[in-house]
Amino acid sequence: MIAVAAGTNRIDPYLIPALDGVAYGLLVFVAASGLVFCFGVANILNLAHGLLYAIGGYTAAALLDGGWASLALALAVGVLAAAAAGVLLAGLLTPVATGNHLSQALLTFGVALAGGSLLVAGFGPDNPQVQVPAALEGSVLVAGHRYAAYRLVFIVVAAVLAAALYLVVRRTRAGMLVRAAVDDPEMVACLGVSPARIRAGVLAAAGALAGAAGVLGAPIIGPGTGTADTVLLLSLVVVVLGGLGSMAGTLLAALAIGEIQTLGVALLPSAAPFLLFAAMAAVLAVRARGLAGRWRAA
Amino acid sequence: MRGEVIRRVRGGIAALVLVGLVVAPWVVDDYTTAILSRTLALALVGVSVALLTGVAGMPTLGQTAPYAAGAYACAVVGSRVSDVGVVQLAVAAAAGALLAALTVPLVVHARGVIVLMITLAIGELVVIVLGRWRSVTGGTDGLAGIPAVRPFWGLPALADDQARYLYALVVVATLVGAVLVLLRTRAGLVLRAGRDDETRLRASGHRVALHLSGAHIAAGAIAGAAGSLLVVAQQYISPADFGFDTSALLLLGVVIGGTASVGGALVGAALVIAVRDWLFGVLPGHAPLVLGALFVATVYLLPTGVNRARGRLRPPGAPALQPDQPALHEQATVAELHR
């Protein structure tokens, strides 16, 4: 923030959008990290990733009633349902030859199309209202501005989730397996870990992450007919910006997207439609070769 | 001998299809003719997808981006500057090529599934821009009331669906012919060889990235021209015409047609679009469900439909689907180039 030096008055009107950007960015991070796993570990372009998020979102809309218990229930159901959908997807993908990316992409797109249609059939074509727990419904004062309490809490929860994810990937055996599968899938297969099982596990984990993001983020990117597309696109841009190398890259990319979508729109309203595009083009143009090299190896 | 027979049968079928396409507007009603014109435009986009996916080995989900650029450029020129079809086509193709040229740095160094992902992101971002850039694109309402096009200076405007259809047919036939001729040249051979064995081609001093960039821009121009045909066919465009589902449908059509085959791409794309239009007609509420199931079923039924594009799509070291034949074919393309 260069503007900080210029005094608080200049940055004051942009404080709330910037905070919103953090909430948005962390939400996109949790959703996109599932896609990064799919992509990096299983080497699958999962076009149904947005659907997994939407499952969580619709679960939240259906179950939340303003109490804490309903939030816990929605989180459990949403995560389980989305993870189950991920496993189902892995099952559908099993007969498709490994490395046959076109078929995999088309199959996951078919699942996204059919699943989206089922969600609309089940929950109706209107965007459902999401009720946050009553205790978080109000707003709190942040540096003299009113800010939705839910979003503030969401920032904390998502940050905890991100830290937990980091620890799991860095410190546990499952995380080690995931990192090993990114680096050298054949060696992992030689060590006796079935690639099919890794794929199922990764898609389940991706589903769980997307489902959790969907439930917790429902008040921010709410369930609706366009949700799946929006989340898929934002996650893809995160992958493009952040690469597949590190979680820090993913986090930075997600936060950048959050800020572009909120602070960027507040600062440059006329250029708003092009900002996301420009960011992607700029990052890719600068590090195209390095990125491609890394990806080709992945 | 057998190859000769197959070639003749294929030629015969192509001629029959062409005759059928020419007489079609007098056989079916006006509504179907209008739908057919739009299908022709989409089939032409399918050809550009095949050019990238099958011939150049860059699987794409983003050809709707130059398609949209061409369509909007044509709509703006058609409403404000000129109603001459050739001018509109040229402007649309230039717009598509320009957008493709701008996105070259994003895709040219990537391969396989990464290209799918980046092109998908580009396509979706273009749709978002179309929805928000209201002063030029009319936002999500789209642009309507585009005046009827006259194919050439001095010719009458195309007033009915039959005339618009025939105009689209002539343009598609010309462009597809041009693509087929282009693929027979050395440039086409280098593209295919680069798809099959990039390392070897690079080692022998060919500038693969340059050829890929050229193919990407050419495919953008074709998709842009197709956008102009969409404007002529519908006289109305909105961001919904260029969604992600259109890209996926076209890719499915191209895969059904056998990725590297231009004729196959035309037929496959037309077939898939026709099935979609028909499904949305008969099953208004559940069409996406059935369409999604058809996607899954098609992938299972056509496990080898993606063979030709396999060279780049396979991660290094993964087993080939059919180890013998395609390997021979690959060597043949590269060897032909070196002869």
Side-chain angles (χ1 to χ4, degrees), chain B:
Chain B
M1 184 64 206
R2 192 157 159 255
E4 182 68 21
V5 172
I6 288 177
R7 197 172 305 153
R8 280 206 186 151
V9 169
R10 204 189 277 171
I13 291 176
L16 269 180
V17 168
L18 201 60
V19 170
L21 282 173
V22 172
V23 299
W26 286 276
V27 181
V28 296
D29 57 63
D30 279 357
Y31 175 71
T32 314
T33 309
I35 298 270
L36 278 177
S37 313
R38 193 182 65 186
T39 309
L40 276 180
L42 281 161
L44 189 58
V45 187
V47 168
S48 80
V49 173
L51 190 63
L52 285 176
T53 304
V55 178
M58 297 207 293
T60 176
L61 274 170
Q63 278 306 98
T64 43
Y67 179 47
Y72 274 90
C74 173
V76 169
V77 167
S79 324
R80 296 179 195 174
V81 183
S82 165
D83 64 348
V84 179
V86 197
V87 174
Q88 293 185 6
L89 264 178
V91 168
L98 181 68
L99 185 69
L102 287 176
T103 50
V104 156
L106 304 187
V107 294
V108 77
H109 295 294
R111 295 292 178 269
V113 70
I114 309 290
V115 188
L116 273 181
M117 183 185 73
I118 294 178
T119 50
L120 171 58
I122 292 171
E124 286 280 272
L125 287 172
V126 165
V127 171
I128 291 183
V129 169
L130 292 179
R132 293 201 191 146
W133 196 10
R134 288 214 177 75
S135 53
V136 174
T137 64
T140 45
D141 298 335
L143 293 173
I146 302 153
V149 68
R150 61 180 79 238
F152 211 76
W153 291 273
L155 288 181
L158 304 174
D160 57 356
D161 287 317
Q162 272 96 350
R164 285 193 282 268
Y165 169 82
L166 287 179
Y167 169 76
L169 188 60
V170 168
V171 173
V172 169
T174 313
L175 286 175
V176 168
V179 169
L180 286 174
V181 169
L182 205 71
L183 286 181
R184 278 169 189 266
T185 63
R186 199 178 155 76
L189 197 57
V190 172
L191 268 186
R192 270 174 283 144
R195 167 200 71 198
D196 291 340
D197 194 341
E198 185 177 341
T199 322
R200 194 172 156 189
L201 206 63
R202 221 183 264 280
S204 61
H206 289 89
R207 299 168 74 177
V208 176
L210 197 71
H211 282 99
L212 286 183
S213 309
H216 194 252
I217 293 171
I222 295 169
S228 162
L229 293 184
L230 179 77
V231 173
V232 172
Q234 290 191 159
Q235 295 179 295
Y236 161 77
I237 46 171
S238 77
D241 289 320
F242 311 102
F244 160 39
D245 49 341
T246 310
S247 298
L249 278 169
L250 287 174
L251 190 61
L252 181 71
V254 167
V255 167
I256 291 176
T259 59
S261 148
V262 170
L266 272 174
V267 175
L271 185 75
V272 169
I273 298 294
V275 167
R276 178 196 67 176
D277 290 344
W278 175 73
L279 270 180
F280 274 83
V282 292
L283 286 171
H286 301 285
L289 182 64
V290 180
L291 202 58
L294 280 180
F295 260 84
V296 176
T298 314
V299 168
Y300 286 151
L301 288 175
L302 278 174
T304 52
V306 285
N307 258 352
R308 301 287 295 277
R310 199 197 73 255
R312 277 175 198 279
L313 300 183
R314 201 174 67 215
L321 292 176
Q322 291 176 338
D324 303 321
Q325 248 179 333
L328 276 176
H329 160 78
E330 279 180 15
Q331 292 312 312
T333 324
V334 180
E336 192 184 338
L337 186 71
H338 286 165
R339 205 173 288 140

Side-chain angles (χ1 to χ4, degrees), chain A residues 17 20-22 24-26 28 253-264:
Chain A
D20 252 350
V22 175
Y24 204 88
L26 284 172
V28 173
L255 286 174
I257 285 174
E259 293 300 339
I260 288 171
Q261 294 282 71
T262 52
L263 190 61

Side-chain angles (χ1 to χ4, degrees), chain A residues 238-271:
Chain A
V238 166
V239 178
V240 173
L241 290 182
L244 299 169
S246 69
M247 284 188 60
T250 310
L251 180 62
L252 273 179
L255 286 174
I257 285 174
E259 293 300 339
I260 288 171
Q261 294 282 71
T262 52
L263 190 61
V265 172
L267 282 170
L268 298 165
S270 55

